Amino acid sequence: MIGVLACGPGGGGTTTTNLAKDQVLRYNIGVEPNSFDPGQQQYTYEAAVGRQAFEALLKPNKDLTDVEPATAEKYEVSSDGLTYTFHIRKNAKWSDGQPVKAQDFVYSWQRLIDPRLGAPYNDYYVFKGVDAASKLKASDPADKIDGALQALGLKATDDSTFVVTLAEPAPYFKWIATLWNGAPIRKDVVQKGGTLTDPKNTWATKPDTLIGNGPFKVTEIASKDHVTLEASSNYWGGAPTLKKMVFYEISDANADFAKYKNGEVDMNNVPLANTDLVRNDPQLSKELHETPQLGVRWIQFNNTKPPFDNQDVRMAFAKAVDRDKLAKDVFKGRALPISTFIPKGQSGNNPTVGGDPQKFDAAAAKDLLKKAGVTSLNVTYLVRNDTANQQIAQFIQDQIQTNLPGVKITLEVIDSKTVTSRLRQKNFQMYHGGWIGDYPDPQNWFDLFKTGSGNQFSGYSNKQYDDLVKRADVEKDAAKRKDLYDQAHAIIVKEVAGAFLWQGKNFYLLKPYVQNDTITPIDEWPGCYFSKNITIGQH
Amino acid sequence: MPQGRAVNLAFYIVRRVLWMVPVLFFVILVTFSLMHFAPGSPWDQEGKQLPPNVIASLNQRYGLDRPLPEQFVRYIWSAIHLDFGLSYQYENRTVLSLILTGWPYTATLGLCAFLLIVPVGIGLGVAAALRQNTRTDYVVVGFSTLGASVPNFVIGILLIIVLSVDMNKWTSGAFWLPSGGFGLDHHLIMPVITLSVLPITYIARLTRASTLEVLRQDYVRTAWAKGLRERLVVVKHVLKNSLIPVVTALGPTFAFLVTGSVIVEKVFVIPGIGSTFVTAVSSRDYPMIVGISIIFALVVAVANLVVDLLYVVIDPRVRLT
């Protein structure tokens, strides 16, 4: 809807009706999506396309405070929090005109759990029966797998009613229903590309068979060059004003920036090296939009081996890094310093939790190290081999060596997959990494430091923390939930589950003629959640 | 016993083609072993990790849970049937289809570059040799040194800045080269130039050195003494002899050009297979890695065969054995 964009960090241009003849939006997603099947997608550059060609049950509102209807026009939760009933819009249609049915959601969500698909996000879908189904192997007999999938808590009581039964109450489940990989899939569409569970099935590789229910449909896949989407006239909300979107796959940031300057693309994610240039340019600075990301990075220590099995040593390191300087010198203002876990803009954000023990304090850091009985220390710092990560590591290395005399850090810069492989084997001492929220609920964050979590490799384990998070994840009362999470938050900050350092910021350039573009902190590209509203003014 | 050069030639070619089979087998064996020795698996991610049961499913799907020798034998068997497997990175797409989609762009670019390099490189080299120690010579040698010292991504980016962004500004959008992308038109200009600079420099230097040597030969002196025109001397007497080492160098040059330059493809956003190979290695996309290595080995083998056959044409003293 035009005209509702006064607030928030988004919006490019005014709500004028001087529309350009060609309503085309061009953006560079940087990498070719590995797959166009939403069930198999996981990266932001894949969601960039997936979220436009397909639509999930719900979507976030623009402030990320709650969800709003998408393909489902409303939903109810039972009083015990276990049953979610989604009502599919009667006028929800696929791009080929067929109606979207509840059975399409049943099939799609069963498919996410099917071991023969190997969906990357299947650990997020926590309905009844998932535990048993996740023990299945792809080589198991087909009827055994199908039987387990049918036993999942997923039912279509009629064509427009999709009922999900959870294994245990989960107040954050409404957010799972906004994930783009939970979009419906039609069985007959998949069968057009081959047999249902065959990895050679090509339905998602060609525009003719890639039929989705989103506001746009994929009309051209030029491998390694671009993907073209066009407005879907069958979309329940009416065809978007934008007639066409072109997503380029340019991996070189300078080439992308050159294209923006030439007017060959309409939006740009500013390369870090060009930050100052853009800020100081009279024209470009007017086209700049800054948004905090819901992403935090920290130093991850190997808590299972010396020297970082000692909490005081970890805290000394955490206190030895000047985060303001990091944000200013390395990120040129494109980062927010943070010394707690939850980023600004995400509920649960609490900059003073636990007394903010990790904040920069070089003197206290030295004292702590002395208290730990450490006078000299040699540490190796595992770093992924791209320029950005190397610069960050060099800064951190310098800070720690300066503020903690006696500590010597050696950088080990290696190829990305080798780094992950070593992290898995706990063959490392320190490393920096982080998390970007998949959806704006604190559960997505706090689960990270539970014992046995597969998404961080410190080996951190605290039973009290596990217990608090477990209770908070299912707590329905908002105030109690916040309190539980705050207590858990205080624990990991005080015990240095990670040395939290910075929160990212997005710097987007938008041409002045890109109008009604609502930017949120979780965008894959600026305005992706509300692409139906975007218009192109005359230029 | 069959007689005649044509039949000799045919036998020679057949023998060389048959030799490619064990060579390819060896290439596959070495590539296969090396890539599996590299640490890290295709399923290791940077941010959110894949759930363990998904990793198990994927390993099963691609046969990665079987012992390595068994995987190798299975691969050879499928390869013989021209089934080079599915890409790990690009789900549901076969290695063959990915290579066939990307290669035409790379090959076109490489071919255009080659067609530029041969006349320009050889021409500059001959010109420099004929006018040794004059201005022409110094210009050619100077350009060669410069061209060989500047990395090609610098050349590429400079070209984009000047011929695309700046030209756009100076002519107010009237005339400028597109900053990237592939097209059988002016899109080719900058990438072909960037790709050609380094090969032109070493072909020029090689031609110059080789031509200088031939120019000192007695039969060339005789030709000058006879009063023959320069053009006749060069084309009839000098070139054929001086080009032998150049043709040797052109073989692998052609192979490299046609199998892609990662850097040029990245800077000019050409959807070819050069960058595919590097991406495949860093993603541990094993079938892609082996598939592209096979292509590369084939192209090099064919290029070497063509070079050997060209010797026969250029130098009648060479016999095929």
Side-chain angles (χ1 to χ4, degrees):
Chain A
M1 288 224 289
I2 314 175
V4 278
L5 307 166
C7 52
T14 53
T15 62
T16 163
T17 47
N18 246 337
L19 295 179
K21 191 163 72 80
D22 291 320
Q23 293 291 307
V24 183
L25 184 70
R26 299 155 305 171
Y27 181 69
N28 176 36
I29 53 177
V31 186
E32 182 183 16
N34 300 353
S35 173
F36 292 97
D37 171 0
Q40 296 194 67
Q41 291 181 328
Q42 49 174 321
Y43 302 110
T44 46
Y45 51 86
E46 297 178 315
V49 179
R51 201 184 296 283
Q52 306 306 317
F54 289 84
E55 191 181 57
L57 290 162
L58 305 169
K59 73 185 203 189
N61 67 11
K62 67 177 190 300
D63 305 311
L64 307 184
T65 48
D66 202 349
V67 297
E68 57 185 39
T71 298
E73 58 183 349
K74 60 182 198 288
Y75 73 101
E76 293 107 28
V77 189
S78 62
S79 49
D80 59 1
L82 288 174
T83 311
Y84 282 69
T85 309
F86 296 97
H87 300 276
I88 316 293
R89 286 172 201 278
K90 298 276 195 303
N91 60 345
K93 289 210 183 71
W94 295 90
S95 59
D96 63 355
Q98 298 282 333
V100 177
K101 299 208 184 100
Q103 292 84 348
D104 300 331
F105 279 99
V106 172
Y107 172 60
S108 152
W109 288 32
Q110 283 178 344
R111 192 173 175 261
L112 285 173
I113 309 298
D114 192 328
R116 295 165 296 192
L117 185 73
Y121 267 75
N122 82 1
D123 52 342
Y124 281 19
Y125 291 85
V126 291
F127 22 88
K128 189 163 71 89
V130 154
D131 268 344
S134 62
K135 297 194 177 55
L136 291 169
K137 291 207 287 287
S139 55
D140 284 341
D143 49 344
K144 181 163 176 226
I145 299 180
D146 288 333
L149 295 181
Q150 295 298 325
L152 294 172
L154 304 168
K155 288 234 175 337
T157 55
D158 59 52
D159 282 356
S160 337
T161 315
F162 176 47
V163 181
V164 181
T165 313
L166 302 183
E168 48 180 27
Y172 58 89
F173 189 72
K174 63 184 181 188
W175 293 107
I176 306 286
T178 66
L179 289 175
W180 88 98
N181 33 42
I185 306 269
R186 250 168 59 196
K187 222 188 238 182
D188 62 296
V189 164
V190 176
Q191 278 166 330
K192 288 206 187 96
T195 46
L196 287 175
T197 53
D198 184 355
K200 289 207 175 69
N201 187 314
T202 59
W203 79 275
T205 63
K206 303 199 207 48
D208 295 334
T209 45
L210 187 59
I211 296 177
N213 65 324
F216 293 88
K217 58 183 182 208
V218 175
T219 52
E220 191 193 1
I221 299 175
S223 184
K224 301 181 80 86
D225 195 72
H226 68 274
V227 180
T228 310
L229 292 106
E230 286 177 28
S232 171
S233 48
N234 284 314
Y235 180 62
W236 61 264
T241 317
L242 268 183
K243 288 284 154 278
K244 202 152 94 160
M245 290 199 292
V246 184
F247 290 124
Y248 291 103
E249 295 153 5
I250 306 167
S251 58
D252 185 78
N254 294 309
D256 179 18
F257 191 60
K259 270 192 146 62
Y260 179 82
K261 286 199 282 194
N262 274 347
E264 295 173 81
V265 296
D266 307 304
M267 307 186 293
N268 174 262
N269 189 346
V270 183
L272 184 62
N274 295 346
T275 307
D276 285 333
L277 186 150
V278 168
R279 272 215 200 91
N280 299 328
D281 183 292
Q283 175 61 32
L284 292 176
S285 54
K286 287 204 220 99
E287 298 169 6
L288 185 61
H289 299 265
E290 298 183 41
T291 340
Q293 259 182 9
L294 289 191
V296 172
R297 299 283 189 279
W298 58 84
I299 302 177
Q300 199 166 108
F301 302 101
N302 185 345
N303 297 13
T304 63
K305 295 199 194 114
F308 296 115
D309 54 347
N310 183 326
Q311 185 179 307
D312 288 335
V313 176
R314 299 201 296 268
M315 185 59 88
F317 273 55
K319 280 168 129 55
V321 181
D322 186 347
R323 293 153 175 79
D324 290 316
K325 200 160 184 289
L326 174 67
K328 195 158 78 74
D329 292 354
V330 177
F331 291 101
K332 315 219 188 295
R334 283 170 70 153
L336 296 168
I338 195 170
S339 38
T340 53
F341 178 43
I342 304 290
K344 188 160 148 210
Q346 167 64 55
S347 73
N349 169 247
N350 192 337
T352 55
V353 79
D356 194 13
Q358 291 191 13
K359 87 167 162 274
F360 175 55
D361 186 340
K366 285 197 199 57
D367 288 339
L368 262 173
L369 205 59
K370 230 189 299 183
K371 171 168 167 251
V374 173
T375 40
S376 90
L377 192 54
N378 276 330
V379 176
T380 42
Y381 184 165
L382 201 56
V383 185
R384 293 190 198 271
N385 68 340
D386 56 80
T387 327
N389 277 315
Q390 277 181 261
Q391 278 180 315
I392 295 163
Q394 279 163 353
F395 179 86
I396 294 175
Q397 171 196 42
D398 179 64
Q399 282 284 290
I400 296 186
Q401 290 184 161
T402 312
N403 293 324
L404 292 177
V407 175
K408 183 161 171 350
I409 299 189
T410 318
L411 296 186
E412 225 186 320
V413 183
I414 337 182
D415 130 272
S416 189
K417 291 228 186 270
T418 312
V419 168
T420 304
S421 158
R422 286 200 27 195
L423 291 173
R424 273 188 205 283
Q425 296 158 15
K426 300 265 187 305
N427 178 4
F428 76 102
Q429 293 191 300
M430 73 186 261
Y431 150 81
H432 73 259
W435 184 252
I436 298 187
D438 293 295
Y439 45 86
D441 186 286
Q443 172 270 340
N444 185 247
W445 288 82
F446 284 101
D447 272 8
L448 215 56
F449 286 109
K450 283 201 326 226
T451 305
S453 151
N455 286 319
Q456 54 87 24
F457 304 98
S458 63
Y460 176 78
S461 175
N462 181 314
K463 282 223 81 226
Q464 197 194 2
Y465 175 85
D466 291 348
D467 184 62
L468 283 166
V469 172
K470 200 162 179 292
R471 282 160 51 203
D473 282 352
V474 306
E475 175 58 60
K476 279 184 278 176
D477 179 284
K480 281 203 205 114
R481 200 171 182 234
K482 174 177 180 329
D483 179 62
L484 287 166
Y485 279 136
D486 277 346
Q487 289 182 50
H489 197 174
I491 294 178
I492 49 176
V493 163
K494 284 199 222 147
E495 295 191 351
V496 197
F500 304 108
L501 294 179
W502 81 92
Q503 171 180 359
K505 254 169 126 183
N506 281 324
F507 264 40
Y508 292 125
L509 282 171
L510 266 72
K511 293 281 184 201
Y513 51 77
V514 176
Q515 301 160 349
N516 302 311
D517 189 305
T518 313
I519 300 180
T520 75
I522 51 175
D523 283 348
E524 291 103 34
W525 52 270
C528 63
Y529 281 90
F530 302 95
S531 53
K532 191 162 163 345
N533 303 345
I534 302 176
T535 55
I536 307 289
Q538 277 184 3
H539 61 280
Chain B
M1 193 63 194
Q3 313 263 305
R5 269 191 61 169
V7 180
N8 258 344
L9 203 62
F11 264 112
Y12 180 73
I13 295 178
V14 167
R15 265 213 331 274
R16 285 289 292 264
V17 169
L18 286 178
W19 258 117
M20 287 190 205
V21 174
V23 167
L24 276 179
F25 179 83
F26 191 64
V27 165
I28 298 176
L29 178 62
V30 172
T31 310
F32 196 88
S33 317
L34 286 177
M35 72 189 186
H36 279 285
F37 271 126
S41 92
W43 322 123
D44 287 327
Q45 313 274 45
E46 247 187 71
K48 176 184 180 304
Q49 300 301 321
L50 292 174
N53 58 342
V54 171
I55 295 183
S57 299
L58 292 170
N59 280 335
Q60 230 184 20
R61 179 197 301 180
Y62 297 113
L64 291 173
D65 52 347
R66 313 237 169 122
L68 270 184
E70 187 188 332
Q71 289 186 43
F72 181 72
V73 172
R74 278 173 181 273
Y75 183 82
I76 295 289
W77 182 247
S78 323
I80 292 176
H81 294 87
L82 294 183
D83 172 10
F84 297 96
L86 284 169
S87 162
Y88 295 169
Q89 194 185 357
Y90 297 104
E91 282 100 346
N92 318 118
R93 289 165 69 184
T94 60
V95 168
L96 195 58
S97 72
L98 283 166
I99 292 180
L100 289 177
T101 317
W103 201 12
Y105 299 106
T106 304
T108 310
L109 210 59
L111 196 63
C112 291
F114 190 72
L115 293 175
L116 185 67
I117 291 164
V118 171
V120 175
I122 295 179
L124 286 178
V126 169
L130 288 176
R131 306 273 176 271
Q132 194 188 9
N133 293 326
T134 66
R135 246 199 322 241
T136 316
D137 191 17
Y138 295 148
V139 165
V140 171
V141 172
F143 160 74
S144 301
T145 315
L146 193 66
S149 338
V150 182
N152 57 358
F153 63 87
V154 174
I155 297 176
I157 293 179
L158 278 176
L159 283 175
I160 293 182
I161 292 177
V162 175
L163 294 179
S164 185
V165 180
D166 284 349
M167 266 242 255
N168 191 352
K169 254 202 306 211
W170 297 332
T171 62
S172 305
F175 178 76
W176 47 281
L177 289 178
S179 59
F182 182 87
L184 286 174
D185 51 18
H186 55 295
H187 278 89
L188 284 175
I189 297 179
M190 292 194 295
V192 168
I193 294 179
T194 309
L195 205 50
S196 312
V197 170
L198 185 59
I200 287 179
T201 64
Y202 65 72
I203 295 292
R205 292 298 301 260
L206 191 57
T207 311
R208 178 183 175 277
S210 173
T211 310
L212 282 176
E213 233 203 82
V214 169
L215 284 174
R216 299 189 213 299
Q217 299 297 315
D218 285 343
Y219 58 87
V220 175
R221 282 232 220 103
T222 312
W224 293 130
K226 281 192 336 193
L228 293 176
R229 281 192 340 265
E230 182 178 48
R231 178 120 75 98
L232 198 59
V233 177
V234 170
V235 172
K236 201 152 174 244
H237 296 280
V238 175
L239 263 189
K240 267 196 175 177
N241 295 296
S242 61
L243 281 186
I244 292 177
V246 180
V247 164
T248 314
L250 282 176
T253 303
F254 180 77
F256 279 115
L257 286 172
V258 143
T259 48
S261 157
V262 184
I263 291 170
V264 171
E265 287 185 12
K266 206 167 182 270
V267 170
F268 292 100
V269 195
I270 312 276
I273 59 167
S275 45
T276 308
F277 187 59
V278 175
T279 318
V281 171
S282 47
S283 340
R284 310 290 192 275
D285 190 350
Y286 300 139
M288 252 344 246
I289 297 174
V290 182
I292 298 185
S293 304
I294 293 177
I295 299 291
F296 192 78
L298 270 175
V299 172
V300 171
V302 169
N304 282 339
L305 174 58
V306 169
V307 163
D308 285 345
L309 292 177
L310 275 177
Y311 286 153
V312 177
V313 170
I314 299 180
D315 188 347
R317 297 171 295 176
V318 171
R319 289 216 185 296
L320 296 172
T321 43

